[in-house]
Amino acid sequence: MKIICIGRNYIDHAKELNNPVPSRPLIFMKPPSALLLEGKPFYYPEHSKDIHYELEVVLKICKNGRHVQPEFASGYYEQIGLGLDMTARDIQSELKAKGHPWEIAKGFDHSAVMSDFYDKSDFDMNGILFHLSKNGETVQQGNTKDLIFSFDYLIQYVSKYFKLQMGDLIFTGTPAGVGPIKIGDHLEGYLEEKKILNCRIK
Ligand code: MG
């Protein structure tokens, strides 16, 4: 199982971090050991002083495929969920400045906080509202209709380079509003009005 992540897939988020809007998807990965399942606490890691949350809609791949053609792309995910792409922003900034890979800023243990999954047929796939609250206050909200690269395009694009395998996850990018966490914070993620992600920072 692999965790494929898309960076800068909402214009407002690319701008908030002073990044250019990409002309093709920006891809990175987290190892399977990054996964933290729904309801489990996130322990603030010692290697960073500036961990940020990034709330993202996540696709769960339901069959194997490579070079998926556009007309078949939607058949490769039946379920969606919400994930937090936890990011050591201080380390990421250093690595970015040097042009180095991102793994220790993005792929450290438990950096992929994951909700349970729900059938996509329960949602309007043309535009799913989602939001994150921190200690009861909304800090991020997005609508998947604002994605630069759609879910189906991502399936097509990613599968040109990496064989998709059943159980793989694709984090589809975060909207604006990313920010820091501290010990004691409570993060809650909502898909439409349904609260599906719960994570306490310890
Ligand atoms: Mg992200």
Side-chain angles (χ1 to χ4, degrees):
M1 178 275 226
K2 54 190 174 292
I3 303 171
I4 298 158
C5 302
I6 309 301
R8 302 174 198 166
N9 203 12
Y10 290 88
I11 290 173
D12 56 352
H13 170 64
K15 285 187 178 158
E16 77 177 338
L17 295 184
N18 294 316
N19 287 315
V21 174
S23 55
R24 55 186 177 191
L26 188 163
I27 298 176
F28 60 95
M29 293 209 207
K30 297 181 188 250
S33 49
L35 197 62
L36 181 70
L37 295 177
E38 167 54 22
K40 296 267 196 326
F42 175 88
Y43 288 91
Y44 205 107
E46 283 178 6
H47 59 70
S48 173
K49 300 256 177 293
D50 194 25
I51 300 285
H52 279 205
Y53 54 77
E54 295 188 359
L55 184 70
E56 314 197 1
V57 176
V58 179
L59 313 178
K60 187 176 193 175
I61 298 300
C62 63
K63 59 180 176 182
N64 298 353
R66 48 165 47 117
H67 296 285
V68 175
Q69 295 305 299
E71 62 269 36
F72 300 120
S74 67
Y76 282 78
Y77 57 100
E78 296 294 341
Q79 292 192 306
I80 62 173
L82 285 174
L84 291 167
D85 166 18
M86 292 298 208
T87 302
R89 196 71 73 200
D90 44 358
I91 298 173
Q92 188 197 26
S93 300
E94 278 172 38
L95 296 171
K96 265 163 77 175
K98 293 179 187 158
H100 288 178
W102 277 356
E103 274 80 356
I104 60 170
K106 285 283 199 180
F108 57 88
D109 292 348
H110 298 163
S111 60
V113 179
M114 199 56 242
S115 75
D116 292 334
F117 285 88
Y118 297 85
D119 290 348
K120 68 178 184 185
S121 56
D122 294 346
F123 301 94
D124 174 4
M125 294 302 284
N126 294 314
I128 308 166
L129 286 164
F130 61 105
H131 76 272
L132 179 71
S133 85
K134 184 171 89 167
N135 307 326
E137 229 173 274
T138 299
V139 288
Q140 271 196 292
Q141 44 195 334
N143 188 324
T144 57
K145 76 173 168 42
D146 298 324
L147 283 166
I148 299 171
F149 303 107
S150 70
F151 294 160
D152 288 2
Y153 185 80
L154 293 175
I155 296 284
Q156 180 198 344
Y157 185 85
V158 168
S159 69
K160 283 200 280 191
Y161 302 92
F162 305 104
K163 180 184 181 182
L164 295 175
Q165 293 172 294
M166 204 186 302
D168 287 350
L169 303 178
I170 301 182
F171 277 60
T172 59
T174 196
V178 301
I181 51 167
K182 59 180 189 327
I183 291 170
D185 283 345
H186 184 202
L187 301 174
E188 296 165 292
Y190 294 78
L191 201 51
E192 298 289 1
E193 291 314 307
K194 194 178 168 73
K195 182 167 89 174
I196 64 168
L197 185 147
N198 247 298
C199 182
R200 289 185 185 274
I201 313 302
K202 295 199 171 177

